[in-house]
Amino acid sequence: MGLSVEVTDSRNVLVVRLTGELDHHTAEKVRNEIDEKLRTGLYANLVFNLSGLTFMDSSGLGVLLGRYKRVSQLGGNMILCAVNPSIYRLMELSGLFKILPIYKNEQSALEACGVTL
């Protein structure tokens, strides 16, 4: 199936929308695209909208954890939103929600970052 990555921004928040499968075949593409944007220094926070994500393996978890570490080092926050039930279960089992907040939708995630729409 592959993966579609849409990267936009709202003030100092980088918004990443993933559609498809985040696995060992697609992880590097996502990692590189996000890291390139973060290197600009324009973004303090990162929001992952996972509403279109249909599959994720341990490589995908690694991408999320790596971006969390990077954003934390920059003094920012990372938030997940709109997570599908099957992906939610994987994240729950991995303990990801112990370190990453999750919001129902992108608007509430952006509001948590101080962006009002």
Side-chain angles (χ1 to χ4, degrees):
M1 161 145 191
L3 181 73
S4 168
V5 181
E6 179 186 352
V7 180
T8 61
D9 61 77
S10 184
R11 295 196 194 156
N12 69 338
V13 181
L14 187 65
V15 179
V16 179
R17 297 180 192 100
L18 301 178
T19 304
E21 300 178 355
L22 179 55
D23 58 19
H24 69 281
H25 297 290
T26 57
E28 187 173 350
K29 171 187 175 186
V30 175
R31 186 181 307 113
N32 291 340
E33 195 162 339
I34 295 169
D35 285 353
E36 181 181 322
K37 294 286 188 181
L38 291 175
R39 276 193 292 274
T40 66
L42 299 174
Y43 308 103
N45 301 299
L46 175 60
V47 170
F48 273 96
N49 182 330
L50 305 178
S51 61
L53 196 63
T54 58
F55 176 82
M56 184 170 67
D57 66 8
S58 60
S59 298
L61 287 172
V63 167
L64 295 179
L65 287 170
R67 291 337 91 211
Y68 167 75
K69 182 178 177 182
R70 181 141 189 154
V71 168
S72 295
Q73 289 171 341
L74 296 171
N77 297 303
M78 184 171 129
I79 295 176
L80 305 174
C81 69
V83 180
N84 284 326
S86 61
I87 306 298
Y88 184 96
R89 182 74 177 136
L90 172 68
M91 292 178 169
E92 186 176 50
L93 289 171
S94 72
L96 202 63
F97 296 138
K98 292 178 182 174
I99 60 169
L100 285 173
I102 182 171
Y103 286 82
K104 185 174 182 168
N105 56 48
E106 190 174 306
Q107 181 177 345
S108 60
L110 287 169
E111 289 171 0
C113 292
V115 177
T116 54
L117 303 174

